[in-house]
Amino acid sequence: MINLIWAFLFLIGVVYAAFNGTMPEVNKEIFESAKEGVTLCLGLIFIMVFWLGIMKIAEESGLLDRLSKVVKPFLKRLYPEVPGDHPAMGYIVTNFIANLFGLGNAATPAGIKAMEELKELNGGKDEASRSMITLLAMNTAGLTLIPTTVIAIRMKYGSASPTDIVGTTLIATICSTTAAILFDRYYYWRRSRKNTK
Amino acid sequence: MFVEGGKEGFDIAISIIPYLVGMLVSIGVFRASGAMDACIHFVQPLLTYLGIPPEIVPQAIVRPISGNGALGLMIDTIKTHGADSFLGRLASTIQGASDTTFYIITVYFGAVGIRKIGDSLKVGLLADLVGAIAAIVVCTIMFK
């Protein structure tokens, strides 16, 4: 279904370009975007290789355990379909903690591993289970305590107080995360009603 | 142990390539053709009526589509209006309020071969919308 969206956008773009004479830009963009995609993935390889290795080490050192104990009760309530001692829950916790500290690059491998485990829990089907949708919603709402990239850029462009947006960002991200949880629950409720009819 | 984890990472990243390239090419074409600008211009009058500063609309719309694209627009806004201006702070807040929904769906679901995404896109985009609105409201209260 998501692929339909891309095909649709592509088509609209091409048709619009044909009518507006922007075809040269479009041609250039196809190559640039494809290049960007492969470059991104190669970068992703390095990141994944590095962080999955680091995560194993953090796991062994017990640091992850201590942070996990704090967040786990909350996450168990958020993902009621996932057994507390299943590997999926471990990855969900890691993913959540990584996002909290603004380490998007560490969150991605953990999130992907979580998806893998959730897929197994769901019997290997290629449709998104309830927990997967929740995981996705939580990641895209992006509960981040410290927006490191934004602060760095503000410093670079001469902000007198780069961190003054931390408070506003925190409030906004809490709102989006809360909304994500509420909408996720709402759509789950709708799906269950449809299924019981 | 580190090596095992590493090898898995390699396999996963490779498997994502077709999905990511497809997404970036489609969005790129949509943007480069001018169709994206046309759509944004179409909606702007309504947004201005609602008290939403038109300058940050492209960034807010692009935010769920491309993290780098939105970052670029934020930098644009900061360069034009100043990092500590109302618009500069608003752009900064919007950037951190949510994440790149389409990228996350593509990568997370693509890596494990999920084709039917269910309601995840709806929930994701709604959350992004709430984040952007919250950012506008909070910044208006605190910085104006």
Side-chain angles (χ1 to χ4, degrees):
Chain A
M1 191 234 140
I2 185 89
N3 296 319
L4 278 177
I5 296 183
W6 301 138
F8 187 61
L9 282 181
F10 184 85
L11 236 56
I12 293 187
V14 170
V15 169
Y16 190 89
F19 280 102
N20 282 279
T22 40
M23 266 312 209
E25 284 89 338
V26 168
N27 275 318
K28 177 162 168 257
E29 186 66 35
I30 293 178
F31 287 114
E32 304 248 339
S33 294
K35 196 173 82 175
E36 195 187 332
V38 176
T39 310
L40 247 171
C41 281
L42 290 180
L44 207 59
I45 291 177
F46 288 123
I47 289 165
M48 304 259 314
V49 165
F50 180 68
W51 280 108
L52 277 176
I54 294 279
M55 261 161 44
K56 285 274 182 191
I57 296 175
E59 205 182 310
E60 302 283 309
S61 78
L63 173 67
L64 215 52
D65 274 341
R66 261 173 282 157
L67 283 170
S68 303
K69 282 197 173 65
V70 178
V71 297
K72 208 163 166 186
F74 168 66
L75 290 176
K76 275 174 77 170
R77 294 197 56 193
L78 212 50
Y79 296 93
E81 283 182 356
V82 181
D85 52 359
H86 193 275
M89 185 50 85
Y91 289 120
I92 290 174
V93 169
T94 309
N95 168 264
F96 181 77
I97 292 177
N99 270 321
L100 222 49
F101 289 103
L103 300 170
N105 291 327
T108 305
I112 292 178
K113 293 291 293 179
M115 282 295 184
E116 258 180 31
E117 297 290 337
L118 289 178
K119 188 178 181 186
E120 243 190 67
L121 265 177
N122 198 33
K125 296 186 235 158
D126 72 349
E127 60 180 60
S129 68
R130 177 196 180 178
S131 305
M132 288 184 199
I133 297 180
T134 307
L135 182 63
L136 196 113
M138 290 298 287
N139 269 277
T140 186
L143 187 64
T144 310
L145 295 176
I146 311 170
T148 40
T149 317
V150 172
I151 294 177
I153 290 184
R154 289 173 62 77
M155 275 170 53
K156 180 169 174 218
Y157 285 96
S159 165
S161 72
T163 54
D164 58 4
I165 44 89
V166 171
T168 53
T169 306
L170 198 58
I171 295 176
T173 194
I174 289 176
C175 287
S176 72
T177 307
T178 310
I181 297 174
L182 292 175
F183 282 121
D184 176 50
R185 284 300 182 264
Y186 166 69
Y187 278 107
Y188 174 68
W189 176 78
R190 257 182 52 165
R191 286 198 299 275
S192 337
R193 286 193 61 207
K194 268 203 276 186
N195 286 335
T196 53
K197 277 206 179 128
Chain B
M1 179 184 61
F2 185 93
V3 172
E4 270 171 39
K7 181 179 178 297
E8 263 191 278
F10 184 83
D11 292 332
I12 293 175
I14 294 281
S15 72
I16 293 174
I17 290 184
Y19 297 103
L20 211 50
V21 170
M23 177 184 91
L24 287 174
V25 168
S26 307
I27 293 177
V29 165
F30 185 65
R31 197 182 5 98
S33 66
M36 186 185 266
D37 280 333
C39 286
I40 291 177
H41 271 115
F42 189 70
V43 205
Q44 255 181 14
L46 168 67
L47 298 167
T48 318
Y49 172 73
L50 291 170
I52 298 171
E55 292 89 344
I56 47 92
V57 170
Q59 185 197 350
I61 293 183
V62 170
R63 186 69 191 87
I65 298 176
S66 160
N68 288 327
L71 196 68
L73 288 167
M74 178 191 92
I75 291 176
D76 229 38
T77 304
I78 285 183
K79 284 205 291 207
T80 313
H81 300 274
D84 292 329
S85 64
F86 170 68
L87 286 172
R89 286 163 161 163
L90 179 55
S92 307
T93 306
I94 288 180
Q95 191 65 15
S98 66
D99 214 327
T100 315
T101 304
F102 284 104
Y103 172 79
I104 293 178
I105 289 184
T106 305
V107 169
Y108 282 46
F109 283 160
V112 292
I114 301 285
R115 286 218 169 67
K116 304 190 198 111
I117 63 172
D119 295 315
S120 39
L121 188 60
K122 283 182 250 180
V123 176
L125 291 177
L126 283 169
D128 293 333
L129 180 64
V130 169
I133 293 175
I136 294 173
V137 169
V138 168
C139 283
T140 306
I141 295 176
M142 283 190 65
F143 295 131
K144 251 207 160 153

